[in-house]
Amino acid sequence: MNWAQILGIGLFVSGMQLAMPTALAAVGEAFSERAGVLNLGLEGMMLGAALASFAGEYYAHSATVGVLCGVGVGVLIGGLQALLSVYLKTDQVINGIVIVIFVQGITAFSYERLFRTTKVSPEVPSLPHVRIPGLGGIPWLGAVLFNQNVLFYISFVLALSVWVALYRTRFGLWVRAAGESPQAADSVGVSVDFVRTLALLLCGAMAGFGGAVLIVGDINLFGLNVTAGRGWVAIALVIFGRWNPFVVFGGALLFGITDALQLRIQAASGGSNSAIPFEAFQALPYVLALVVMVIATVTARRSAQPSALGIPFRKGVTE
Amino acid sequence: MTTAEAGLALPPISPRAARLRAAGVSVLGVLLAFVAGGILVLIAGGNPVPAFRSMFSGSLGSPFAIGELLTQAVPLIIIGLGLALAFRGRVYNIGAEGQLFIGALCGGTILLEVHTSSELLLALSMAAAVVGGTLWGLIVGVLRAYWNVNEVISSLLLNYVAIFVFSYAIRRPLADISAANNLASRTIPDSTRLPSLPHFFVHYGIFIALALVPLVGFASGFTPFGFRVGMLGFNPDAARVAGVDTARLIMWLMAVSGGLAGLAGVIQLVGIEGRLDSGLSQNYGFTAIVVALLGRLRALGVLLAALFIAFLNIGGQAMSVDRGLPFSIVLAIEGVFVLFVLVAGRLSRTS
């Protein structure tokens, strides 16, 4: 096995690409959880947005329209989650599971309705790589970070702005208050329900953008299992990143590189007759997500979890 | 992730009026499911009346059709019962799909590798499947009970792991080498396959499923165990103060729901497939979540919901074949239905 080739620069280039959809969703989820809402509908948001972005780009022949459709559907599902978790105050775990089931059903139907007549499975064109002048010339780093497609750069900027929004703006302060001590936030005149709703819409937008990046920026076709549990992995990564969007984002990028590593080892080790079965490599990302989540949960000295996470806010009811 | 304040308030002993309202919501939900189905058929470019006609005749129109419906309901009932019980304790196991495959794999390994009398073999394989599903579920249960690791995510992630373990097993050690593609195991001995009911073509697994309904209903409604599960779901802190060993109870709930999913897996094997392949489950582990929620986490409700979902699935297949309409209409109906029941159930409680 040629380790130099496996561990070469290509590993990091493809790792970044693999990581981005999950990383975006994870950052969005971190934001909504910091506001106190456990959004388990993330996988549904990504899947719905993936189809919307695919259909948008396919029919409008425009990647921009595709991305906007994806973000739009993500926001819509975020609104549905807000209706259930913020206003109806039903169990947030059930809400998430129901949203995933609902979106899976609607997506399966929509996909069949839209693309059943096409004989070959449809594809959309891939985006060109844009080399950033100056930075793109930096050895190694230039190829990994500054010679990607345009969605990659937008993703980076968006993910970092979420971190800024959470820690450096008044709205971010409200969000953290709504998740940490909703009664206190309410007592100084912050509408907890409103803040949580906005946080969920933003989470939907990020997850929707993640779904769009997956389709428009990477895979260029759609299948009903295209998200392959990325939304769930993202939730695990939020726990791993201790609810800090910056750490969550970094963790997700590392996770993407590990994922790329297993794909490359799998490819280099000779397919179905290799000593280590390829299923072991396929299972690795899921095992890894589980392991990092367990380690993060077990080793947390002081819980970083927002105190009001998962608890619907009711005015005047103290915990 | 303990939420002392339950959003999904599960009244342990609900008054008559509340029960009637709940039943009303379910009936309304079934009506809405048909309306939604009609609209979806129109969107798909079909005519709802003949579409529904083939749905009914394909699932209820002949003994064979009814047999197919009941066959489909078997795994949904068995898994749904376990999930309903776990959900009552607010232990959200969404890993039943993986537990099913692990159960089938354990049971199947016994059937393929052990040589003894067929009755003993069948009993051993069922026991192995239950043990396999239980242990797979317990991974989640132990993590949740002792370190408060979120069981929704861990159980979901383990689904993928389970399916890769299963795929490996049927590709290498248990593979049928004569098969063109190695995507199935060797076939199990004919003598270990479950017989079918004459005329109806439903295997004897239906009796296991039906026997489990009152059993789980009794356990959850009339025993101290069931009462403790209700307490755990309603307020885990209070349950702990009242002397309930909540860690143990959480592990029990994961064990029972995992074990039942494993049992459903081996029943699919000996009742239908006759070999290990991916056809053992048509997403039953996930559909059973819908069944548990639609059944309002009650054993009898699970039975009715499983029959209704089986009706939708079998009828949907018939509709798809007869009228050339997409089968995914059924998936969309199920999604709308479960969302409606959640919202309407909530609204009916406040008004």
Side-chain angles (χ1 to χ4, degrees):
Chain A
M1 206 180 288
N2 185 351
W3 283 100
Q5 203 186 340
I6 289 172
L7 296 173
I9 193 158
L11 167 68
F12 297 90
V13 175
S14 63
M16 287 292 133
Q17 250 177 20
L18 272 174
M20 205 44 90
T22 315
L24 289 164
V27 166
E29 178 72 19
F31 201 78
S32 96
E33 292 196 16
R34 283 305 283 265
V37 187
L38 180 67
N39 168 38
L40 294 184
L42 205 61
E43 177 81 5
M45 289 174 163
M46 290 186 83
L47 180 68
L51 177 59
S53 65
F54 181 74
E57 183 175 7
Y58 186 82
Y59 284 108
H61 303 289
S62 151
T64 317
V65 173
V67 171
L68 290 177
C69 287
V71 173
V73 164
V75 170
L76 268 179
I77 301 172
L80 175 63
Q81 174 67 283
L83 177 74
L84 297 176
S85 293
V86 178
Y87 296 101
L88 293 176
K89 303 185 198 300
T90 41
D91 186 308
Q92 291 179 10
V93 176
I94 299 275
N95 295 347
I97 297 171
V98 166
I99 283 178
V100 174
I101 291 170
F102 173 74
V103 174
Q104 279 171 344
I106 300 292
T107 306
F109 176 72
S110 310
Y111 181 63
E112 245 186 309
R113 177 76 187 87
L114 289 171
F115 296 104
R116 201 160 62 116
T117 44
T118 33
K119 290 259 183 323
V120 286
S121 73
E123 269 189 60
V124 290
S126 59
L127 292 179
H129 284 221
V130 180
R131 193 183 155 99
I132 302 225
L135 294 171
I138 305 171
W140 198 81
L141 211 59
V144 175
L145 290 181
F146 303 111
N147 192 13
Q148 300 267 12
N149 64 42
V150 65
L151 286 179
F152 181 84
Y153 304 123
I154 302 176
S155 307
F156 237 99
V157 173
L158 274 181
L160 295 179
S161 11
V162 167
W163 181 79
V164 173
L166 188 61
Y167 289 107
R168 295 283 180 272
T169 67
R170 180 164 293 248
F171 177 65
L173 181 67
W174 292 346
V175 165
R176 283 177 289 142
E180 212 54 61
S181 179
Q183 265 68 33
D186 182 61
S187 69
V188 294
V190 174
S191 166
V192 173
D193 285 354
F194 181 68
V195 168
R196 287 183 171 182
T197 302
L198 281 183
L200 278 172
L201 295 179
L202 187 130
C203 173
M206 291 297 285
F209 191 67
V213 166
L214 178 69
I215 300 300
V216 177
D218 191 9
I219 304 186
N220 306 124
L221 44 80
F222 182 84
L224 287 175
N225 48 6
V226 72
T227 47
R230 281 181 176 81
W232 299 102
V233 168
I235 302 173
L237 290 172
V238 172
I239 299 169
F240 173 65
R242 306 267 158 91
W243 289 269
N244 179 332
F246 193 74
V247 183
V248 169
F249 188 63
L253 294 185
L254 278 179
F255 187 82
I257 291 168
T258 325
D259 202 5
L261 182 65
Q262 67 87 8
L263 282 174
R264 291 163 81 86
I265 297 177
Q266 194 184 317
S269 66
S272 61
N273 291 318
S274 63
I276 305 170
F278 63 81
E279 288 90 352
F281 293 112
Q282 290 176 322
L284 193 70
Y286 304 101
V287 174
L288 188 70
L290 180 61
V291 168
V292 297
M293 179 178 80
V294 171
I295 291 175
T297 315
V298 173
T299 59
R301 248 174 275 129
R302 188 176 58 87
S303 177
Q305 177 173 318
S307 311
L309 183 62
I311 304 169
F313 175 68
R314 289 185 175 81
K315 245 183 166 46
V317 180
T318 47
E319 286 303 309
Chain B
M1 198 194 38
T2 51
T3 48
E5 196 188 24
L8 175 102
L10 252 190
I13 310 147
S14 64
R16 207 190 167 84
R19 277 195 192 203
L20 274 176
R21 262 208 302 263
V25 165
S26 302
V27 172
L28 211 62
V30 171
L31 289 178
L32 179 100
F34 280 108
V35 174
I39 294 171
L40 290 166
V41 168
L42 284 174
I43 295 175
N47 183 342
V49 178
F52 281 137
R53 202 179 298 136
S54 25
M55 229 178 146
F56 276 97
S57 68
S59 59
L60 298 166
S62 64
F64 178 77
I66 295 173
E68 272 202 281
L69 185 152
L70 292 175
T71 306
Q72 174 107 151
V74 169
L76 295 178
I77 296 170
I78 298 176
I79 304 171
L81 286 171
L83 296 186
L85 187 64
F87 285 16
R88 269 175 173 256
R90 291 162 65 82
V91 172
Y92 295 113
N93 174 13
I94 59 171
E97 186 79 0
Q99 291 145 13
L100 180 153
F101 275 107
I102 293 294
L105 178 58
C106 294
T109 307
I110 300 274
L111 291 171
L112 292 171
E113 303 293 331
V114 178
H115 302 283
T116 175
S117 73
S118 50
E119 291 81 13
L120 185 60
L121 205 52
L122 195 57
L124 275 177
S125 72
M126 293 221 171
V130 172
V131 170
T134 299
L135 291 178
W136 198 256
L138 267 179
I139 301 174
V140 176
V142 169
L143 290 173
R144 161 76 198 275
Y146 290 108
W147 295 287
N148 209 16
V149 174
N150 187 318
E151 81 278 14
V152 182
I153 301 155
S154 61
S155 63
L156 189 284
L157 291 174
L158 280 171
N159 278 336
Y160 291 96
V161 181
I163 286 162
F164 288 126
V165 169
F166 182 86
S167 312
Y168 169 71
I170 62 170
R171 186 174 64 83
R172 296 293 283 277
L174 303 176
D176 180 1
I177 303 159
S178 64
N181 49 4
N182 298 343
L183 293 176
S185 73
R186 306 190 300 276
T187 48
I188 59 170
D190 274 343
S191 57
T192 58
R193 301 191 59 166
L194 289 183
S196 284
L197 219 59
H199 307 301
F200 280 95
F201 306 103
V202 54
H203 59 78
Y204 280 17
I206 187 74
F207 296 118
I208 301 179
L210 291 177
L212 281 166
V213 174
L215 202 69
V216 174
F218 177 78
S220 65
F222 300 95
T223 63
F225 169 74
F227 185 69
R228 285 197 290 267
V229 172
M231 282 172 81
L232 177 71
F234 195 66
N235 188 337
D237 297 324
R240 211 170 295 121
V241 171
V244 176
D245 187 344
T246 51
R248 221 174 104 176
L249 195 54
I250 288 166
M251 290 192 290
W252 264 107
L253 289 176
M254 280 308 304
V256 171
S257 53
L260 284 174
L263 178 66
V266 78
I267 288 177
Q268 291 295 101
L269 172 64
V270 295
I272 304 170
E273 295 288 308
R275 58 180 199 176
L276 295 167
D277 58 30
S278 61
L280 283 171
S281 172
Q282 294 157 26
N283 243 350
Y284 295 130
F286 294 105
T287 311
I289 299 173
V290 177
V291 166
L293 295 177
L294 294 183
R296 308 191 74 85
L297 313 186
R298 291 171 185 284
L300 191 62
V302 165
L303 174 65
L304 296 175
L307 291 173
F308 182 71
I309 295 291
F311 157 76
L312 281 181
N313 282 345
I314 297 296
Q317 281 166 16
M319 178 189 76
S320 156
V321 172
D322 294 357
R323 310 285 162 193
L325 290 165
F327 174 74
S328 53
I329 287 179
V330 168
L331 302 174
I333 295 176
E334 285 170 16
V336 172
F337 189 16
V338 73
L339 183 65
F340 169 82
V341 168
L342 175 71
V343 173
R346 176 74 183 84
L347 293 177
S348 76
R349 243 178 287 129
T350 44
S351 59

